[in-house]
Amino acid sequence: MVLANRPRHHHASRGTPSGHPPLLRFLGLPIKIGGETVGMIGLANKAEDYTEEDALFLQPLLDTLGALFYALEVEKSRHYAEQKLRYLAETDVLTRLPNRRAFIERIAEFYAQESAPFSIAVVDIDYFKLVNDQYGHQVGDEVLQEVAFRLSSALRSDDLVARMGGEEFGVCLYDTQDAPTLEVLRKTIAAEPVLTSEGAVNVTVSIGACQVSSQRCADRWEDDLRYADLALYRAKKEGRNRVRWHMPSMATNFT
């Protein structure tokens, strides 16, 4: 507490800012949470001297403000904890990309667009098991991290890339006429070897994709993702390191 009925003579006085009304009397009361000061209330220029009774009279107000400050801190901590838990639940730890769960949830945002077409694609690292067998899982992890980085760097901020599991990534591209093409993504991965702790490793990917038209149905996302998987299977069967498309609007079955 600061009780100064002669503010200019108080040992802590540093004067007042330019243009500030003069302080004839001053009472400063601390707002505390668990003994720690988190704020102050300042009163000035009472007609009579401030007394300790004034401070005692205002103590319930200080307690209430302290409780409000505490509640605010608790709410901030709760919000931070929720955000952290959500991040952990939706993020692949190794690549820092969204995980499969987050990918599926965010697909809804693409289907919610009423006009612009978009594409769903599945990207799979070719011969990834051989990388693990030849170099070890540490190098395999480094390859996954670099592929994830190259994919996310090549896409726009409103596109989506996620790690679906293992060596497989999911991609959604808005307005595919203007987006980087999947062929560009494929070339981006193959352009330079991945520099790992065991040396350079050549990496390619196969990509299967399906175009989702503007006349789409939100509950068709599983079918569309399956079409992309089928196109990926065809890319693998035809020699890998290539992009293959499947058009749901032209298909009558999954064969």
Side-chain angles (χ1 to χ4, degrees), residues 123-135:
V123 181
D124 190 87
I125 300 175
D126 296 326
Y127 302 109
F128 185 71
K129 185 178 183 302
L130 293 180
V131 174
N132 280 331
D133 291 344
Q134 182 175 350
Y135 299 101

Side-chain angles (χ1 to χ4, degrees), residues 29-35 38-39 41 55-71:
L29 301 173
I31 302 170
K32 294 188 175 184
I33 299 177
V38 295
I41 289 180
L56 186 62
F57 176 78
L58 292 169
Q59 188 59 48
L61 174 61
L62 299 175
D63 292 341
T64 300
L65 291 174
L68 289 174
F69 271 89
Y70 176 74

Side-chain angles (χ1 to χ4, degrees), residues 2 11 15 18 21 43 48 54 62-63 67 99-100 105 144 156 169 187 189 198 200 211 230 250:
V2 177
H11 67 88
S18 176
L43 299 93
E48 301 172 351
D54 293 322
L62 299 175
D63 292 341
N99 58 22
R100 181 182 182 87
E105 287 181 354
L144 286 169
R156 303 168 303 178
F169 299 85
K187 291 179 179 179
I189 302 302
E198 295 295 328
Q211 180 86 25
L230 288 170
M250 298 173 59

Side-chain angles (χ1 to χ4, degrees), residues 30-150:
I31 302 170
K32 294 188 175 184
I33 299 177
E36 180 183 354
T37 299
V38 295
M40 291 284 293
I41 289 180
L43 299 93
N45 297 347
K46 182 183 175 185
E48 301 172 351
D49 285 353
Y50 288 106
T51 65
E52 292 187 2
E53 285 73 17
D54 293 322
L56 186 62
F57 176 78
L58 292 169
Q59 188 59 48
L61 174 61
L62 299 175
D63 292 341
T64 300
L65 291 174
L68 289 174
F69 271 89
Y70 176 74
L72 180 62
E73 290 301 314
V74 169
E75 178 62 21
K76 286 182 178 179
S77 297
R78 183 192 65 79
H79 179 71
Y80 174 79
E82 287 182 353
Q83 293 295 103
K84 184 68 173 179
L85 288 173
R86 185 173 181 84
Y87 173 81
L88 292 174
E90 296 183 347
T91 304
D92 175 63
V93 176
L94 179 65
T95 63
R96 304 298 182 186
L97 292 178
N99 58 22
R100 181 182 182 87
R101 170 185 171 180
F103 181 81
I104 292 173
E105 287 181 354
R106 296 179 193 179
I107 280 178
E109 299 176 10
F110 287 79
Y111 279 92
Q113 300 294 317
E114 295 183 356
S115 58
F118 67 94
S119 297
I120 292 179
V122 181
V123 181
D124 190 87
I125 300 175
D126 296 326
Y127 302 109
F128 185 71
K129 185 178 183 302
L130 293 180
V131 174
N132 280 331
D133 291 344
Q134 182 175 350
Y135 299 101
H137 289 280
Q138 172 61 37
V139 170
D141 287 348
E142 293 172 20
V143 169
L144 286 169
Q145 290 172 325
E146 178 62 20
V147 170
F149 174 77
R150 293 185 188 184

